[in-house]
Amino acid sequence: MLLTCLVIALLTCFVSPLITKFLGRNAGWVLALPLLGAAVLAVSAFADAARSGSADSSGSPVVQQWVPWMPTVDVGLGLRMDGLALVFTLLVLVIGALIMVYSTRYLEPVGKHGTFYLLMTGFAAAMLALVLADDLIVLYVAWEATTLCSFFLIARSGAGAREPAIRTLLVTVAGGLLLLAAVTVMIIATGTTRLSDILVDPVWSANGALTTAVAVLIAMAAFTKSAQFPFQAWLPDSMVAITPVSAYLHAAAMVKAGIYLLLRFSPVFADVSVWNVMLVTAGLITALFGAIAALRRYDLKELLAYSTMSQLGLLVTMIGIGTPEALKAAVIHTIAHALFKSALFMLVGVIDHSAHTRDMRELAHMKLRMPVTATAMGLAAASMAGVPLLLGFVSKETMLKAFLDAPGPAWVPWVVTAAAAVASIFTFAYSARLVLGAFGGRADRSEDSDDVVREASPAFWGAPVLGATAGLVLGVTPFLLDKLVTVGATASAGEEVEAHFALWHGLVPELFVSLTVIAIGTMLVLARHRVHHAMAPYDFPISGLDVVDTAREQTIRFGGVVGGWTGSIAPRRHLSIPTVALIVIAALAALTIDDLPAVVGEPSDPLDWVLVVLIACGVVAMMQAKTLIAAIVVTGVVGFGMTVWFLQLGATDVAITQLLVEILTVCVMVLLLRRLPTTFEKTPPRQHVIPLLVAGGAGLATTVGVWALTGRREMSPASEYFLTEGYNETGGTNLVNTILVDFRALDTLGELTVLGVAGITIAALLRARKPSPERSANIQDHSPLIDARDNTVFVRTAAKLMAPIIVAGSLILLLRGHYEPGGGFIAALVGGAGFALAYLAAPSDRSARVQMPYLLLIGLGVAVGVGTGFLGYLDGSFLRPLHPEIFGFQATTALVFDVGVYLAVIGVILASFNLLGRPQASTPATTPTTPENSDEVNAR
């Protein structure tokens, strides 16, 4: 059921561009339906779990679904919905559906809205995956997906949105890196990626330092997403986005991702003092700062941005208190905030569309005849202010009770409650400022005046009115939320929590605090002009946006400095730093090595030393080479020597791969030689000293590493498993190939994707930047080498015979790779050698070009690999190989996966040959070299 909900959200994202193409902005009506349908399915699944008695250790009903990705490791698409996930699932889907409906009238009738709906539905799917994730990898990927959706939605909002989008991305990506660090530490410490298992792992009580470190990382990651001090500046900055984006992402959903993360890990860290101090301190600072800043804003949307920051600060403070009562308050206030804040943002959008301004100073000179919008805004703002009979009042009462009962020293409840009360007073004041700023103008205009703003259509204000009305209905009947908040708070607290909400709890302390807040807030509203004038002259000395921009500039500058160290075409410069780092690592390792185990296995073969001498001779010859041709030849000696060594050690697949790579490398080098000088630049002998020392140190470090790490243990358990169970599991006898395409197919798919990206990068780079001019051969007119066609007779004749053999050999290697040396990569390299032969036999670049869509081949190869992975779900796991019997023969889907590898590698090879071999139009390859330009060409 959970997977069905997620699939519905993903399919909604995929089909949104097509629906938008036919329906335009009205696509929102259709896209809202699957979101609501997914919400109904989620509620149904949770209700079934409650009826069946399925519950976790805290007593909260739970629905779990596990779809494995790999057959040999416990990593998969883990989905889990408890009470907390249900609360956020409903917020994401129901508010998302309302925003879709609202967008049908907010967007312009004519325009390209496909990317908007694509990103909005994609964000809904990412948020749903985030709150349902029971696997840390899935959670992290979904977390970053919400960041990317936010970035693109802000960036598409106009020319002035570029910088705010970048600043938002920088802050939230920094939080993503902190979360990645926490995820990595948790997986290593617990040995699993399952979130439900990690939360109950005994490591948290056994290792205090680990618990503290992870708590800090999680808290900081959540702060960046939920705009908490000191990362709060991005939220008001992101308000350049259009109103539907602000209402959904930056009020009701994305900023709640940080709240969800804090609530999810609250059972683990609620008793960690660092966690409590960080959350309470940052939350109260943000609540006060946001509330004060909201009182100084004239832009209605900007005011709501700071108010969102303030309300999120109160939520973070509640989670930091960590008691069951505080977590109950956090859950109900999360619901209340999503309702009133999304409604307020949408209503401000209605005003902006109708009046063409959001500035209070301009609205004061207009007469807004918008009774429905004004009533809805009054209800939503009253809920935000905590006025009785509204849901915001119920949540605020629960919050104040939790603060008054806060644990710790006796002064803690008083300080926290006082700070929250002050923030609530300012909340009352800016809530009134919002309504009065929009509808409190005193313009004395006639009904026919151009400054009279009429009510918008019901389709426009319908969605926000539903949100505002829900706050009133649930405020009068708060007991309707008892079960939902109970299961949400129970999952957050890790123990059973009972929620019983009512408007009247008697003459309790929190009631008197609320009355004080309302009384003082009313006085601030009555004296709002004097309050504003008193606050206006004071500006904060430090701008958060300036801090982000400065950090960005300094990072770029530092990157330029570091890049300058290696930014050279001279190998001795750009290789020296990583090589020195390798030497330092080896030296540190050598100093810390204690007693090493004895070497296990046979002594070295005499042939090994012969090959060592051969390779050493190649290296020395390379150092002495004066021309590029000589350097390529002796480099080939080193490569072929390694090939023989691999063969001598029995690594046939590796040897074949090394041999083919050497051949193709030489062919590519030949294509580059025409654009390079014929000889190396002469350098003084003293400049060779440092490169020799660095190279010698690297060789010594490598030798120490091989000596210390090789041959000192028996065969590992993994090796034994592959050798003993490889054939039974895969049906293949070529162990290297079965590891690549069966056991570690996910790694190979990742490498295949990287290879495809490299091929596309090569194509983009070589198409965007013209290659250097070709160096013409200095050949006399009477030389037999002057005619390229006559000079390639032998090669062309051989190619006619060899090309079919090479193609046949390539296909044979592809088909036999599962059982004998071969496979997709080796087969593609052989096929690439055939294309290289075609280039060698061709008399010109144009006739040599192979007219095959290399980019399509790359994409097709990756698609085949991914598609083969989905076939594995027929047997329960992504990329699990299937072994059907076809016409009496045992087949395997691993062969199809190898076909994908074959296509992608062939595409990359063709991209390299076709693009590197093309002539430069401005400098033809046949231009003769004259005495006047020969020195210039050689220098180039």
Side-chain angles (χ1 to χ4, degrees):
M1 196 71 82
L2 298 183
L3 182 61
T4 303
C5 293
L6 185 57
V7 169
I8 289 174
L10 290 171
L11 289 178
T12 305
C13 173
F14 292 144
V15 302
S16 60
L18 181 62
I19 296 175
T20 307
K21 182 177 181 180
F22 290 102
L23 299 181
R25 68 173 184 172
N26 291 322
W29 294 105
V30 177
L31 297 175
L33 297 177
L35 297 183
L36 291 176
V40 172
L41 283 177
V43 173
S44 175
F46 190 81
D48 291 343
R51 284 192 296 267
S52 64
S54 175
D56 58 15
S57 58
S58 66
S60 174
V62 62
V63 185
Q64 299 190 72
Q65 192 166 0
W66 182 262
V67 182
W69 283 350
M70 295 290 291
T72 55
V73 293
D74 190 25
V75 176
L77 180 61
L79 301 177
R80 184 176 186 271
M81 184 169 66
D82 56 8
L84 180 64
L86 176 64
V87 171
F88 282 87
T89 296
L90 292 177
L91 292 182
V92 169
L93 296 176
V94 176
I95 300 296
L98 292 177
I99 297 294
M100 294 301 164
V101 172
Y102 172 80
S103 300
T104 61
R105 290 300 168 267
Y106 182 89
L107 300 176
E108 296 297 328
V110 179
K112 296 181 179 180
H113 306 309
T115 56
F116 169 78
Y117 281 120
L118 173 66
L119 291 169
M120 290 289 278
T121 53
F123 173 81
M127 274 297 298
L128 183 60
L130 172 65
V131 300
L132 294 180
D134 192 34
D135 184 272
L136 281 182
I137 305 299
V138 177
L139 184 145
Y140 173 73
V141 171
W143 178 279
E144 292 296 81
T146 62
T147 295
L148 291 176
C149 288
S150 173
F151 167 72
F152 287 119
L153 283 167
I154 297 172
R156 70 178 299 277
S157 300
R162 180 180 182 275
E163 290 302 315
I166 292 175
R167 285 191 288 262
T168 300
L169 181 68
L170 288 175
V171 175
T172 50
V173 164
L177 293 176
L178 294 171
L179 180 61
L180 177 61
V183 165
T184 305
V185 171
M186 286 188 286
I187 292 175
I188 294 174
T190 61
T192 180
T193 64
R194 294 202 185 192
L195 180 58
S196 54
D197 294 339
I198 290 173
L199 292 176
V200 297
D201 196 281
V203 70
W204 305 116
S205 57
N207 193 332
L210 172 71
T211 304
T212 300
V214 175
V216 171
L217 291 172
I218 293 290
M220 297 291 280
F223 288 175
T224 61
K225 190 75 86 174
S226 294
Q228 296 300 290
F229 178 83
F231 308 107
Q232 77 286 345
W234 71 264
L235 184 56
D237 195 36
S238 68
M239 290 301 133
V240 296
I242 61 176
T243 298
V245 175
S246 300
Y248 192 25
L249 275 70
H250 305 140
M254 182 180 123
V255 291
K256 295 295 196 316
I259 302 300
Y260 170 78
L261 190 70
L262 295 175
L263 286 171
R264 177 57 71 196
F265 282 91
S266 183
V268 176
F269 304 129
D271 295 327
V272 178
S273 58
V274 172
W275 172 271
N276 304 130
V277 172
M278 285 184 65
L279 267 60
V280 171
T281 303
L284 289 177
I285 291 175
T286 308
L288 291 169
F289 172 80
I292 294 172
L295 282 173
R296 306 175 65 234
R297 296 300 179 271
Y298 288 103
D299 188 301
L300 298 178
K301 193 175 177 184
E302 192 177 7
L303 184 154
L304 285 177
Y306 281 101
S307 72
T308 300
M309 181 195 307
S310 178
Q311 295 296 308
L312 292 173
L314 293 174
L315 278 170
V316 170
T317 304
M318 294 181 226
I319 302 171
I321 296 298
T323 61
E325 187 71 24
L327 295 175
K328 179 175 69 176
V331 172
I332 189 173
H333 195 66
T334 298
I335 299 171
H337 180 264
L339 289 174
F340 65 66
K341 192 53 65 69
S342 60
L344 287 171
F345 267 105
M346 286 188 279
L347 291 167
V348 167
V350 173
I351 295 173
D352 190 13
H353 251 237
S354 301
H356 305 293
T357 183
R358 301 190 306 256
D359 195 305
M360 299 178 188
R361 292 163 293 190
E362 296 179 9
L363 291 171
H365 299 289
M366 301 180 182
K367 183 172 290 186
L368 273 64
R369 295 293 186 184
M370 308 174 72
V372 178
T373 302
T375 303
M377 178 172 280
L379 286 174
S383 184
M384 180 168 63
V387 175
L389 301 183
L390 291 156
L391 184 59
F393 172 76
V394 178
S395 65
K396 187 182 70 175
E397 289 281 282
T398 312
M399 173 188 72
L400 292 173
K401 183 179 187 305
F403 288 164
L404 288 168
D405 296 335
W411 56 267
V412 170
W414 292 98
V415 171
V416 174
T417 305
V422 172
S424 298
I425 291 170
F426 289 135
T427 300
F428 190 96
Y430 67 63
S431 298
R433 177 179 173 81
L434 177 72
V435 178
L436 295 175
F439 296 98
R442 299 177 178 272
D444 185 15
R445 306 283 184 179
S446 66
E447 292 293 324
D448 297 330
S449 171
D450 292 336
D451 290 329
V452 175
V453 181
R454 305 292 180 182
E455 185 65 85
S457 67
F460 201 179
W461 49 252
V465 165
L466 281 176
T469 305
L472 175 61
V473 172
L474 293 174
V476 176
T477 58
F479 54 85
L480 295 177
L481 293 174
D482 284 356
K483 291 185 178 180
L484 182 61
V485 176
T486 293
V487 293
T490 297
S492 302
E495 60 183 84
E496 190 169 354
V497 178
E498 290 291 336
H500 301 287
F501 297 111
L503 278 173
W504 176 256
H505 291 284
L507 298 175
V508 290
E510 55 268 24
L511 175 63
F512 293 104
V513 177
S514 291
L515 293 176
T516 302
V517 167
I518 293 174
I520 299 177
T522 303
M523 288 188 288
L524 290 181
V525 173
L526 296 176
R528 60 186 178 277
H529 297 296
R530 282 179 289 176
V531 170
H532 179 74
H533 287 304
M535 297 176 61
Y538 300 101
D539 291 322
F540 293 101
I542 300 176
S543 169
L545 297 181
D546 290 342
V547 172
V548 175
D549 285 335
T550 302
R552 173 185 168 194
E553 293 171 1
Q554 295 302 320
T555 301
I556 295 174
R557 182 176 300 176
F558 178 72
V561 172
V562 174
W565 297 343
T566 58
S568 169
I569 61 173
R572 63 177 177 270
R573 287 192 60 188
H574 65 74
L575 290 178
S576 60
I577 292 179
T579 305
V580 170
L582 173 65
I583 295 171
V584 172
I585 293 173
L588 292 175
L591 293 174
T592 56
I593 289 177
D594 296 326
D595 296 333
L596 290 174
V599 176
V600 179
E602 299 292 332
S604 61
D605 191 287
L607 181 58
D608 293 341
W609 295 103
V610 174
L611 293 172
V612 168
V613 172
L614 177 63
I615 294 171
C617 291
V619 173
V620 173
M622 172 64 193
M623 295 168 59
Q624 298 298 319
K626 304 299 183 183
T627 65
L628 266 68
I629 289 290
I632 291 175
V633 170
V634 295
T635 302
V637 170
V638 175
F640 292 130
M642 291 300 303
T643 300
V644 176
W645 206 345
F646 288 140
L647 282 172
Q648 189 264 341
L649 294 173
T652 308
D653 287 85
V654 181
I656 295 174
T657 304
Q658 174 71 23
L659 176 64
L660 293 169
V661 168
E662 283 295 328
I663 293 172
L664 293 175
T665 301
V666 170
C667 294
V668 172
M669 285 183 176
V670 169
L671 292 176
L672 297 176
L673 276 179
R674 302 177 307 155
R675 308 181 191 277
L676 296 174
T678 57
T679 60
F680 292 108
E681 180 183 358
K682 293 183 179 180
T683 56
R686 65 178 181 274
Q687 294 188 10
H688 297 169
V689 175
I690 294 180
L692 282 173
L693 292 175
V694 172
L700 181 61
T702 305
T703 303
V704 171
V706 171
W707 171 78
L709 303 175
T710 303
R712 296 184 182 274
R713 63 179 174 86
E714 298 287 351
M715 187 178 295
S716 67
S719 300
E720 292 180 355
Y721 174 81
F722 291 141
L723 287 172
T724 57
E725 301 296 331
Y727 179 78
N728 297 330
E729 292 285 341
T730 66
T733 55
N734 181 3
L735 185 59
V736 173
N737 186 262
T738 57
I739 291 175
L740 291 176
V741 300
D742 289 278
F743 293 107
R744 299 186 62 181
L746 187 62
D747 285 348
T748 305
L749 179 61
E751 294 167 359
L752 175 62
T753 306
V754 171
L755 179 68
V757 172
I760 296 172
T761 304
I762 291 171
L765 180 62
L766 294 179
R767 284 181 174 178
R769 302 185 64 179
K770 290 186 178 297
S772 300
E774 297 174 358
R775 174 176 44 78
S776 301
N778 193 4
I779 302 173
Q780 301 299 325
D781 292 342
H782 61 274
S783 172
L785 301 179
I786 195 65
D787 194 317
R789 181 170 296 276
D790 293 341
N791 193 35
T792 57
V793 171
F794 176 78
V795 180
R796 281 189 284 115
T797 303
K800 291 180 181 179
L801 175 65
M802 295 298 297
I805 297 175
I806 291 176
V807 172
S810 172
L811 296 177
I812 291 172
L813 287 170
L814 173 63
L815 295 174
R816 65 174 266 176
H818 212 52
Y819 311 99
E820 301 290 342
F825 188 69
I826 290 177
L829 292 178
V830 171
F835 291 120
L837 181 61
Y839 273 91
L840 292 174
S844 67
D845 295 307
R846 186 171 299 279
S847 61
R849 189 164 304 173
V850 179
Q851 301 299 326
M852 293 179 67
Y854 41 83
L855 292 180
L856 178 61
L857 288 176
I858 293 173
L860 188 60
V862 176
V864 168
V866 175
T868 307
F870 285 114
L871 285 178
Y873 280 123
L874 297 176
D875 195 22
S877 173
F878 185 67
L879 283 174
R880 179 184 288 277
L882 307 179
H883 305 287
E885 189 172 303
I886 302 176
F887 301 117
F889 294 96
Q890 192 73 28
T892 175
T893 55
L895 176 61
V896 182
F897 186 83
D898 253 345
V899 170
V901 176
Y902 182 90
L903 293 173
V905 174
I906 286 291
V908 173
I909 293 173
L910 285 178
S912 301
F913 283 148
N914 279 340
L915 296 173
L916 285 174
R918 64 177 179 167
Q920 169 127 352
S922 60
T923 310
T926 56
T927 302
T929 302
T930 63
E932 289 78 14
N933 66 10
S934 60
D935 293 338
E936 180 183 351
V937 171
N938 288 332
R940 186 182 301 115

